[in-house]
Amino acid sequence: MAIALGDEWSQKRISLLESKEVIEPELLSKVAQALRVPEEAIKNFDEEKAIYNIQNNYEGANAGSGALGQYQNYHDCTFNPLEKWLEVLDENKKLYERLLNSEREKVEILKQTLTDVVKK
């Protein structure tokens, strides 16, 4: 932040700024620009709301407890993962069969070409 505010700023000066109860409007404007937030966000800052927000709005905050707590939040899944996995296996089997048939056709074509060449 000191770099964003300018050459005359140091970590010590930033610490002093943080400890102030009241900040001059011009300085507040510079700080808001450095932090890329509206001035009103700094003016209306509420520590309790910020703590509540942090505690309740991170990924997995309401997922439950226990070793598998992070997965308990997916009770409203609209498909059965096992069925999807079986569908993929079936599709892979079909693709393999098509590939195998294609290779068999190539072998037959090569056999026929070899037979034609030998006859000549």
Side-chain angles (χ1 to χ4, degrees):
M1 186 162 133
I3 294 170
L5 286 172
D7 292 335
E8 67 276 1
W9 285 86
S10 65
Q11 182 60 49
K12 184 176 180 179
R13 190 166 176 200
I14 294 291
S15 295
L16 292 172
L17 175 66
E18 291 172 340
S19 66
K20 283 186 166 188
E21 287 293 322
V22 178
I23 299 175
E24 300 79 27
E26 184 180 307
L27 182 55
L28 179 64
S29 177
K30 287 181 182 180
V31 169
Q33 287 177 338
L35 294 174
R36 296 184 181 144
V37 297
E39 289 179 44
E40 290 75 27
I42 297 172
K43 288 178 187 176
N44 299 327
F45 180 75
D46 183 330
E47 190 172 344
E48 286 183 29
K49 287 181 183 178
I51 291 171
Y52 178 83
N53 197 12
I54 291 167
Q55 289 175 335
N56 293 293
N57 289 319
Y58 65 91
E59 187 175 339
N62 299 314
S65 60
L68 297 176
Q70 61 183 327
Y71 302 107
Q72 293 172 359
N73 202 25
Y74 300 106
H75 63 276
D76 58 350
C77 188
T78 58
F79 64 91
N80 183 340
L82 185 56
E83 287 178 8
K84 290 290 185 184
W85 183 66
L86 291 173
E87 288 175 15
V88 169
L89 285 178
D90 189 46
E91 184 64 29
N92 282 348
K93 182 179 177 184
K94 290 176 185 175
L95 287 170
Y96 176 76
E97 289 171 359
R98 288 199 314 246
L99 178 64
L100 190 58
N101 284 337
S102 174
E103 292 302 314
R104 286 180 181 148
E105 289 174 6
K106 288 179 187 176
V107 167
E108 288 303 316
I109 291 171
L110 287 171
K111 281 181 180 178
Q112 185 62 41
T113 304
L114 186 60
T115 301
D116 291 348
V117 168
V118 170
K119 286 182 181 178
K120 288 183 182 181

